[in-house]
Amino acid sequence: MPSPWIVQWSGLVPAGVPVLDVAAGGGRHTRFFTDRGHTVTAIDRDVSALTAHPNVEIVQADLEDGSPWPLPGRTFGAVVVTNYLHRPLFPALMDALAPGGVLLYETFMEGNERFGRPSQPEFLLKDGELLELARGRLSVTAYEARMISEPKMAMVQRIAARKF
Ligand SMILES: C[S@@+](CC[C@H](N)C(=O)[O-])C[C@H]1O[C@@H](n2cnc3c(N)ncnc32)[C@H](O)[C@@H]1O
């Protein structure tokens, strides 16, 4: 099932633009956007759960091993990141957004420790961190920092924002 946040704000993504799904995992958002007619580039270090599709470019890459960003110079009409955080990627994610492109980002934040994993600070957004990422670069349409109960109890932070 796609994240309700991604579903809710997917309407911001212009029809037909290419979408980048970062740390795509099993491809739930890759499928969500291909079903809506987008071409999707799905990156993960483990692409075994991603299904081949004519409109999906699967990129196998370790995004944390210090290698250069695997899609240099490429830009997308939307960048989607869910349940994944590696702060050194933030500049590459901003560069991967075309002008007018939409960032849809949702992941765990501090306070999630009480519900289980992830619980290490490196995997938990700090209060307001996605707003800080957007400041001066993106126009924020929606932002939340809250507890959720589905699919499990968690503290999440999420943003939908458009590049100037
Ligand atoms: C919790 S899953 C989230 C998957 C997907 N975004 C979703 O929400 O369904 C985290 C994903 O990050 C990927 N990942 C973790 N470390 C990575 C790395 N160093 N480079 C690339 N992908 C990585 C994992 O393989 C996994 O698919």
Side-chain angles (χ1 to χ4, degrees), residues 98-127:
V102 174
L103 176 68
L104 300 176
Y105 202 140
E106 172 181 39
T107 196
F108 304 97
M109 70 174 291
E110 57 189 14
N112 193 65
E113 309 89 321
R114 83 184 91 143
F115 301 118
R117 296 172 66 179
S119 58
Q120 293 169 257
E122 65 185 297
F123 299 132
L124 300 177
L125 289 163
K126 298 182 194 317
D127 186 35

Side-chain angles (χ1 to χ4, degrees), residues 1 6 8 12 29 39 57 60 64 68 85 92 102 110 133:
M1 289 283 286
I6 303 301
Q8 181 177 1
L12 294 176
H29 299 123
T39 59
E57 176 190 22
Q60 193 277 322
E64 301 176 18
L85 178 64
V102 174
E110 57 189 14
L133 175 64

Side-chain angles (χ1 to χ4, degrees), residues 7 23 28 78 80 85 87 98-99 111 113 123 126 132 141 144 152:
V7 174
R28 60 185 175 136
V80 177
L85 178 64
R87 293 182 172 88
E113 309 89 321
F123 299 132
K126 298 182 194 317
E132 200 53 45
T141 299
E144 284 185 353
K152 65 180 180 101

Side-chain angles (χ1 to χ4, degrees), residues 9 46 76 110-111 116 130 138 142 146 153 163-164:
W9 295 108
D46 176 3
F76 298 84
E110 57 189 14
L130 288 179
L138 309 179
R146 56 170 292 203
M153 294 293 285
K163 194 172 192 178
F164 296 141

